[in-house]
């Protein structure tokens, strides 16, 4: 038996083996007046009688949490922005601490091998792609596979095989930039399609048992390294900027150039290149020549 204080709502979530229960409690008011949206907390209870609060080392709400499909661990995202994420085992011992960033969501693939951590809503939409290693192993070997940005995402879900991630911008949640994108398990964009209005995009139903669990492809490079030494690219700070590391989502975008400077930037190598006169300048020059001859 467990009593929760300062809670008006509670949602319960069992792990796959039914040995540990997570209880998410929330209250719309905060007596300390520190949080405008109220307070929230995450608690755990085991069938053996152990219970307590999930240890979070940063003040702020619990944004999201998710059990691995294997039931061996779960991930919680919590704290004021930039938020923090941690991976815990069934006894609530910390297995992995992720670096802070603009994150508020976590998703697992159906096999429990791959997972992603991202930030959506009023956040930039950065997504980190990770692997916990072989789901059958007791102790995870967590490695990052890639990083991408899916701005304005309102829905994301792994495919039944766990090798692809679907992101979508749907109405009426968001009426602009509607469409969907499909990414590989390491963050490479596979395909995309825009729509004027998209109400729903989901994977065709399928059982994960019909798709064998497969590790990252041998020899596949992630962020310039092999699968055995995945990239350490990460989200840096609340601003959602990407650190200047190589990552699977693509190269660093080129800096913005105003149109009037696209022919050459002062001080650059192409600054000495002669600029081609515009048609308006040619007309003005020809009129000046005619006037001078009279």
């Amino acid at each position: 038996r467990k009593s929760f204080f300062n809670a008006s709502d509670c949602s319960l979530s069992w792990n796959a083996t039914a040995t540990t229960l997570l209880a998410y409690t929330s209250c719309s008011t905060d007596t300390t007046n520190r949080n405008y949206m109220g307070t929230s907390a995450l608690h755990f209870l085991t069938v053996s009688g152990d219970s307590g609060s999930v240890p979070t080392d940063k003040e702020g709400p619990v944004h999201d949490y998710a059990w691995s499909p294997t039931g061996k661990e779960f991930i919680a995202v919590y704290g004021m922005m930039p938020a923090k994420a941690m991976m815990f085992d069934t006894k609530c011992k910390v297995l992995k601490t992720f670096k802070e960033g603009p994150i508020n969501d976590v998703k697992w693939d159906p096999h429990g091998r791959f997972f992603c951590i991202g930030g959506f809503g009023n956040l930039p939409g950065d997504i980190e792609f990770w692997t916990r290693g072989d789901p059958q192993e007791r102790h995870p070997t967590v490695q990052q596979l890639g990083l991408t940005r899916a701005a304005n995402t309102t829905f994301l879900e792994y495919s039944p095989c766990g090798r692809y991630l679907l992101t979508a911008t749907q109405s009426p949640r968001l009426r602009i930039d509607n469409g969907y994108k499909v990414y590989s398990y390491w963050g490479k964009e596979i395909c995309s399609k825009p729509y004027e209005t998209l109400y729903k995009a989901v994977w065709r139903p399928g059982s994960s048992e019909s798709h064998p669990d497969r590790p990252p492809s041998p020899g596949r490079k992630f962020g310039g390294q092999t699968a055995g030494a995945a990239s350490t690219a990460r989200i840096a700070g609340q601003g959602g900027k990407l650190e200047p590391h190589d990552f699977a989502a693509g190269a660093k975008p080129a800096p913005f150039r105003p149109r009037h400077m696209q022919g050459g930037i002062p001080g650059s190598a192409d600054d000495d290149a002669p600029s081609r006169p515009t048609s308006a300048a040619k007309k003005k020059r020809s009129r000046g020549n005619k006037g001078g001859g009279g």
Side-chain angles (χ1 to χ4, degrees):
R1 183 175 180 177
K2 178 70 175 179
S3 298
F4 303 116
F5 299 96
N6 194 25
S8 57
D9 294 297
C10 181
S11 59
L12 307 177
S13 177
W14 285 97
N15 66 340
T17 56
T19 57
T20 306
L21 175 72
L22 291 178
Y24 171 80
T25 60
S26 61
C27 184
S28 58
T29 59
D30 181 14
T31 57
T32 63
N33 293 324
R34 294 182 179 179
N35 300 302
Y36 177 77
M37 301 299 294
T39 59
S40 59
L42 195 61
H43 310 270
F44 75 97
L45 302 90
T46 66
V47 293
S48 60
D50 298 329
S51 63
S53 298
V54 175
T56 55
D57 56 358
K58 188 172 185 179
E59 183 180 357
V62 177
H63 302 287
D64 195 19
Y65 63 96
W67 278 109
S68 165
T70 63
K72 296 179 180 180
E73 58 265 335
F74 69 93
I75 297 175
V77 183
Y78 60 91
M80 296 295 185
M81 291 296 163
K84 198 172 184 179
M86 277 189 179
M87 178 184 289
F88 302 88
D89 64 8
T90 55
K91 296 183 179 180
C92 225
K93 294 182 179 180
V94 178
L95 299 176
K96 173 70 176 179
T97 301
F98 301 90
K99 296 182 179 180
E100 298 180 356
I103 53 176
N104 60 5
D105 203 343
V106 56
K107 288 289 187 296
W108 286 89
D109 89 287
H111 295 289
R113 177 181 292 275
F114 304 115
F115 63 92
C116 65
I117 302 174
F120 310 101
N122 61 345
L123 299 177
D126 295 326
I127 306 176
E128 298 179 2
F129 293 83
W130 296 81
T131 176
R132 65 88 65 202
D134 189 349
Q136 304 305 321
E137 294 182 358
R138 181 177 180 181
H139 301 288
T141 54
V142 182
Q143 294 180 333
Q144 185 171 0
L145 302 179
L147 176 67
T148 192
R149 174 167 292 178
N152 300 326
T153 294
T154 60
F155 173 82
L156 71 160
E157 182 183 38
Y158 274 97
S159 61
C161 67
R163 310 292 285 187
Y164 305 99
L165 179 72
L166 169 69
T167 67
T169 304
Q170 304 172 150
S171 292
R173 174 72 179 276
L174 198 63
R175 299 186 182 276
I176 61 172
D177 297 334
N178 280 197
Y180 71 82
K181 294 181 180 180
V182 177
Y183 296 92
S184 66
Y185 62 89
W186 72 88
K188 179 183 178 181
E189 183 176 325
I190 303 298
C191 65
S192 64
K193 187 172 183 179
Y195 288 89
E196 183 176 351
T197 302
L198 176 65
Y199 293 106
K200 192 68 175 178
V202 295
W203 289 106
R204 180 179 178 180
S207 172
S208 60
E209 297 178 356
S210 60
H211 301 279
D213 175 36
R214 295 161 50 200
S217 301
R220 172 72 66 181
K221 292 186 177 182
F222 304 104
Q225 302 180 31
T226 60
S231 171
T232 57
R234 65 177 177 85
I235 296 174
Q238 186 175 358
K241 296 181 180 179
L242 307 182
E243 285 199 330
H245 299 294
D246 293 332
F247 52 88
K252 184 179 179 181
F256 171 76
R257 291 187 181 185
R259 177 170 294 181
H260 69 280
M261 297 180 62
Q262 290 182 1
I265 298 179
S268 63
D270 57 352
D271 185 36
D272 296 332
S275 59
R276 182 175 298 176
T278 62
S279 58
K282 290 180 180 179
K283 292 180 180 179
K284 185 176 180 180
R285 184 182 300 175
S286 63
R287 287 197 301 266
N289 293 335
K290 292 180 180 179

